[in-house]
Amino acid sequence: MVGSALLRRLEAEGFSNLPTRDRSELDLTDEHAVRGFFRQERPDAVIFAAAKVGGIKANSDFPVEFLLDNLRIQNNVIEAAHEIGVRKLLFLGSSCIYPKFAPQPIPETALLTGPLEPTNEAYAVAKIAGIKLCQAFSREYGANFISAMPTNLYGPNDNFDLETSHVLAALLRKAHEAKKSGARQLVVWGTGKPRREFLHVDDAARACLFLLETYDSPEIINVGCGEDIAIRELAELICEVIGFNGELSWDTTKPDGTPRKLLDVTRLKNLGWQPTIPLREGIARTYEWFVKNVAG
Ligand code: GDP
């Protein structure tokens, strides 16, 4: 999702020398293959958007894969990038790196100040290791490796699989299917009380390119829109946009996860960046993409 949004944005800005490989061409967990790719292409800059990602269920069901795959992928890419001397690397982390009960909105300084949310601890620990590796390369070798922490992202090419997706994509699919089948109920996980912040991936891609051009500090920087919404309100908004008029029912056997995850985006704002796609419009655009590309 993030990689394809970055490509759309880079191409729109006129960049053409964009060496990429998809999953079938390059296995990022394979150290030898990753080194070979970097030696062959010798990129100037690297945006590290690749990761094994998943929603609350996948994350808590498969901690081994989330930890091992992500550590392998990022270690391979960051080390190989350093070896060939890339001028700049942007490592993408996640808002789940912050403690479960971090102050809200969460400032960058909250990193490693308390215990993590257990449902995504494995992913968070891998991402924290990635941040620390970038900072270590910066301190020890003077590398310009920066790290951005995006909030919950959504948009074209999101994962719409109900078992492994994040909440926005899952509810979009559920509302679509409920509307199509004439169902009267739509099942939402948890209590609906947790609050999350959502950023359209096209805005996230713009923020990445902005940071590549303007930000040269090893200190992490948050990327978000600065506003959050309760899962209940999100479900209602999605039903409204899609036109499903039935009822919401709550599956409280599923976890709520962290109670609130709103990033403090003062640092990014002060650099002069702000998002452009409001949530309702972003949901409508993503739904259009989903109908065209996934629902068939
Ligand atoms: P998180 O931000 O790491 O907790 O990951 P998710 O995006 O998967 O979940 C966010 C919140 O949405 C949690 O409180 C979930 O319980 C809730 N949620 C409600 N319905 C769904 C659903 O159908 N799928 C997912 N993944 N989460 C849901």
Side-chain angles (χ1 to χ4, degrees):
M1 174 171 67
V2 179
S4 57
L6 283 163
L7 275 181
R8 281 196 299 277
R9 185 75 207 166
L10 284 161
E11 280 161 2
E13 290 195 11
F15 288 91
S16 56
N17 189 4
L18 303 167
T20 61
R21 298 289 186 278
D22 69 24
R23 207 174 284 251
S24 65
E25 297 164 319
L26 177 62
D27 174 2
L28 293 177
T29 65
D30 179 341
E31 184 182 345
H32 185 72
V34 171
R35 188 169 286 153
F37 167 74
F38 274 89
R39 284 180 182 167
Q40 186 187 332
E41 296 290 353
R42 309 198 74 81
D44 270 337
V46 174
I47 306 176
F48 183 86
K52 180 172 182 62
V53 298
I56 194 162
K57 186 170 189 305
N59 257 285
S60 46
D61 288 353
F62 303 107
V64 172
E65 288 71 19
F66 276 83
L67 192 47
L68 268 187
D69 285 0
N70 284 311
L71 285 172
R72 285 190 178 124
I73 291 170
Q74 70 203 28
N75 288 347
N76 291 344
V77 170
I78 295 167
E79 195 179 11
H82 170 70
E83 189 193 88
I84 63 125
V86 301
R87 276 197 299 129
K88 189 150 186 182
L89 179 142
L90 167 59
F91 176 74
L92 289 177
S94 160
S95 56
C96 73
I97 57 154
Y98 293 114
K100 177 173 178 133
F101 297 113
Q104 305 286 330
I106 313 172
E108 288 88 351
T109 49
L111 180 63
L112 292 173
T113 55
L116 297 164
E117 155 61 33
T119 52
N120 53 30
E121 189 177 46
Y123 183 73
V125 166
K127 286 294 183 185
I128 293 170
I131 294 167
K132 292 295 166 189
L133 187 59
C134 288
Q135 291 177 340
F137 270 112
S138 166
R139 199 175 67 215
E140 194 175 330
Y141 296 105
N144 193 359
F145 289 2
I146 64 170
S147 299
M149 299 307 116
T151 192
N152 297 32
L153 304 178
Y154 70 96
N157 292 308
D158 203 344
N159 168 19
F160 290 91
D161 176 277
L162 293 181
E163 284 293 301
T164 55
S165 63
H166 284 96
V167 60
L168 195 148
L171 294 182
L172 211 137
R173 167 166 233 145
K174 285 182 186 176
H176 172 78
E177 288 174 357
K179 181 183 163 189
K180 229 172 78 182
S181 69
R184 298 168 63 148
Q185 275 198 340
L186 184 158
V187 178
V188 190
W189 294 355
T191 61
K193 287 189 188 130
R195 300 182 69 85
R196 295 288 184 273
E197 175 187 14
F198 296 95
L199 184 70
H200 193 283
V201 72
D202 287 348
D203 271 337
R206 281 180 50 253
C208 287
L209 300 194
F210 175 80
L211 289 172
L212 265 187
E213 282 166 1
T214 59
Y215 191 73
D216 290 318
S217 164
E219 296 300 322
I220 61 174
I221 183 160
N222 289 339
V223 174
C225 66
E227 279 171 41
D228 65 354
I229 180 171
I231 297 302
R232 175 185 292 276
E233 292 170 69
L234 175 74
E236 288 167 356
L237 178 60
I238 289 175
C239 290
E240 200 185 307
V241 170
I242 290 175
F244 169 68
N245 302 314
E247 280 177 5
L248 300 178
S249 77
W250 302 92
D251 177 0
T252 49
T253 64
K254 296 286 196 304
D256 267 347
T258 198
R260 195 173 181 202
K261 219 171 8 173
L262 173 65
L263 293 178
D264 182 339
V265 288
T266 311
R267 215 175 259 184
L268 183 61
K269 257 197 183 148
N270 286 346
L271 290 175
W273 188 85
Q274 55 186 33
T276 60
I277 308 172
L279 184 56
R280 176 184 288 269
E281 182 192 326
I283 291 171
R285 279 164 56 171
T286 307
Y287 183 52
E288 215 174 281
W289 184 91
F290 171 80
V291 169
K292 230 187 251 166
N293 296 278
V294 182

